Amino acid sequence: MQSPFSTKDIKISDYNYTLPDERIAKYPLPQRDTSKLLIYCHGDISHDVFASLPDHLPADALMVFNNTRVIMARLHFRKTTGALIEVFLLEPAEPADYQLSFAARGRCEWCCLVGNLKKWKEEPLRRTIEMEGQQVTIQAERVGEMHTGQRVAFTWDNPEVTFSEILEVLGELPIPPYLNRDSEESDKTTYQTVYSKIKGSVAAPTAGLHFTEDVLRRIDERGIAREEVTLHVGAGTFRPVKSERIEGHEMHAEFFRVRRSTIERLLASMGKVIAVGTTSVRTLESLYYIGRQFIQKGIDEETHLKVAQWEPYDNTEEVATEEALRAILSYLDRHDLPELQASTQIIIAPGYDYKVVSQLITNFHQPQSTLLLLVSAFVHGDWHRIYDYAMANGFRFLSYGDSSLLIP
């Protein structure tokens, strides 16, 4: 592993490439699994169609999917003066638990990004919607600052209605800003994976958008095991690196949860773990550092567990990955917990030593992005050849674009 300083000193300009607008997929293909699949296998590059993915995977592997579901996170209110205010949900504040917040009746608070913030002073914003023939008025009020956003209290005048139900009517799907278009009705289906379950993300885990029920069935038929984790993707996934060196870039914390049974399966599959998407990567690799905290800090009480951004590079003595995973199981057993809940700010960049993930399925990412840094670390710096090949062979880029199978 490189020293922490060499990783932090990486110049983001070294991870730039020319991406013409016409190569950004503005819409998905009519059939998800007809997208192209680039295959990078020990330095050799070829391509196929995504429907053939199971043919390229080892039969004894374990695939890990992120089952998060994108929420209708973009809310619009208009002031009496006519000014339009956009309130973009980031994470729940009160209740802080996602499921409890979506189930809230009458009131909840969220950390939000606010568009046109200067026009929103102290007065609350109101909007009336119709739900099952009844008028419901929702009020949004700024009650302080939180992290990098505003803490906003939402109240509504029908206690029989949950916040989740309000979002389904009031909210809009937050498709990526680089699509340069408004969300459409079709995005409500196409910008969700077929296996999405747990509401909480403001962006889709886009590598999963290529999977169909048929592809999943063929994966099962090959004897490849499947497990699911949950990481709620934050708006930071679209946040560009504005600093010259990555040391100046702050990662947003993202909430994740992993079932005990999944950790047991990971232990039995070391060296054969295929992550579907960079969000699954961040979850799986964060497990190692949570386990290392248990071992080296002797954490025994129930507490908020978190992986800090630069934790992988802090020169802390390493432990075996299996030992770290077993430490998590011991923690769960002591507290009689069915799953691990934690958050992560992990940044994976060249110099990072992967602990859990052996193969990666991922889309093609924006120039000068932290996701491109993650891919570069995974293929030991060989990202240029991969992206040059994709560009030369007509691949479509970004969220609705084509994908790759990376086997370093």
Side-chain angles (χ1 to χ4, degrees):
M1 178 186 287
Q2 298 177 21
S3 73
F5 300 103
S6 61
T7 296
K8 289 183 177 182
D9 285 347
I10 287 173
K11 292 183 178 180
I12 195 62
S13 59
D14 292 339
Y15 295 84
N16 197 11
Y17 69 94
T18 301
L19 178 59
D21 184 68
E22 62 269 19
R23 299 302 293 272
I24 299 174
K26 303 301 174 64
Y27 293 90
L29 297 176
Q31 179 67 19
R32 292 174 185 252
D33 60 8
T34 58
S35 56
K36 289 185 178 182
L37 175 69
L38 181 148
I39 302 158
Y40 175 90
C41 184
H42 309 310
D44 294 328
I45 306 177
S46 59
H47 69 269
D48 203 336
V49 294
F50 193 86
S52 299
L53 172 70
D55 300 331
H56 298 282
L57 303 177
D60 59 348
L62 170 65
M63 296 189 76
V64 181
F65 299 78
N66 182 6
N67 64 12
T68 189
R69 187 166 181 81
V70 184
I71 63 172
M72 304 298 175
R74 182 173 279 125
L75 312 177
H76 289 104
F77 295 86
R78 194 171 292 280
K79 294 179 57 178
T80 54
T81 61
L84 185 65
I85 308 295
E86 178 178 286
V87 181
F88 191 100
L89 304 177
L90 289 180
E91 61 179 284
E94 180 57 42
D97 180 88
Y98 280 85
Q99 291 174 306
L100 292 178
S101 188
F102 290 130
R105 298 176 185 271
R107 179 185 174 88
C108 61
E109 296 183 11
W110 279 67
C111 175
C112 304
L113 294 178
V114 177
N116 212 3
L117 178 62
K118 291 181 180 179
K119 295 290 182 68
W120 187 13
K121 305 301 181 185
E122 301 301 322
E123 74 280 14
L125 305 173
R126 293 182 180 86
R127 187 168 164 188
T128 300
I129 58 176
E130 185 171 311
M131 300 183 67
E132 298 183 354
Q134 291 186 318
Q135 299 287 309
V136 179
T137 299
I138 300 95
Q139 176 173 289
E141 183 177 5
R142 287 171 57 198
V143 293
E145 295 184 351
M146 182 176 177
H147 307 319
T148 56
Q150 301 292 315
R151 185 167 178 139
V152 178
F154 297 96
T155 55
W156 53 100
D157 59 5
N158 186 337
E160 300 302 312
V161 176
T162 67
F163 190 56
S164 178
E165 291 169 330
I166 286 174
L167 292 182
E168 291 299 318
V169 178
L170 179 65
E172 298 177 17
L173 197 74
I175 61 172
Y178 47 66
L179 296 185
N180 292 317
R181 65 173 177 84
D182 293 332
S183 61
E184 301 177 11
E185 188 66 25
S186 61
D187 292 309
K188 292 182 179 179
T189 300
T190 58
Y191 197 59
Q192 303 279 12
T193 64
V194 296
Y195 48 81
S196 64
K197 297 180 180 69
I198 313 299
K199 293 180 180 179
S201 281
V202 299
T206 55
L209 296 180
H210 306 274
F211 286 85
T212 60
E213 294 296 345
D214 184 61
V215 171
L216 294 173
R217 176 185 57 79
R218 292 180 54 229
I219 287 170
D220 293 341
E221 289 174 351
R222 274 187 56 79
I224 299 168
R226 288 195 279 142
E227 286 288 334
E228 294 180 354
V229 298
T230 304
L231 180 137
H232 291 320
V233 191
T237 192
F238 300 128
R239 186 167 168 240
V241 180
K242 295 183 178 180
S243 56
E244 180 183 351
R245 301 179 187 275
I246 66 169
E247 182 178 18
H249 182 77
E250 182 180 2
M251 298 287 287
H252 283 224
E254 294 170 305
F255 171 87
F256 71 88
R257 61 176 66 191
V258 183
R259 294 189 305 272
R260 188 190 195 285
S261 57
T262 300
I263 297 172
E264 291 176 331
R265 186 70 70 87
L266 288 169
L267 262 172
S269 305
M270 293 309 301
K272 298 175 289 187
V273 177
I274 304 170
V276 178
T278 57
T279 62
S280 296
V281 170
R282 295 202 296 277
T283 303
L284 294 172
E285 294 297 311
S286 293
L287 288 177
Y288 168 83
Y289 294 98
I290 294 291
R292 193 177 72 171
Q293 289 176 23
F294 289 148
I295 293 168
Q296 297 180 343
K297 296 182 180 179
I299 299 172
D300 197 42
E301 72 280 359
E302 283 194 66
T303 184
H304 178 71
L305 303 167
K306 180 178 180 179
V307 179
Q309 176 167 331
W310 297 106
E311 195 166 334
Y313 314 93
D314 64 5
N315 289 329
T316 298
E317 183 178 354
E318 296 188 351
V319 300
T321 302
E322 292 87 346
E323 187 181 354
L325 295 180
R326 289 193 187 98
I328 296 175
L329 293 178
S330 296
Y331 172 84
L332 297 178
D333 288 344
R334 287 196 301 274
H335 297 284
D336 195 26
L337 297 172
E339 64 182 15
L340 176 77
Q341 297 190 22
S343 64
T344 183
Q345 281 185 287
I346 193 171
I347 185 169
I348 298 178
Y352 181 84
D353 181 20
Y354 278 83
K355 307 296 185 182
V356 179
V357 178
S358 311
Q359 298 184 23
L360 169 60
I361 297 166
T362 188
N363 284 14
F364 296 91
H365 306 291
Q366 288 179 288
Q368 301 190 109
S369 64
T370 58
L371 300 182
L372 188 54
L373 293 173
L374 182 152
V375 168
S376 180
F378 194 72
V379 297
H380 309 297
D382 206 15
W383 71 272
H384 266 300
R385 282 205 310 125
I386 294 169
Y387 276 61
D388 287 347
Y389 183 98
M391 197 64 70
N393 286 274
F395 277 68
R396 301 157 72 247
F397 282 63
L398 307 187
S399 295
Y400 274 143
D402 298 313
S403 68
S404 62
L405 169 63
L406 306 180
I407 307 171

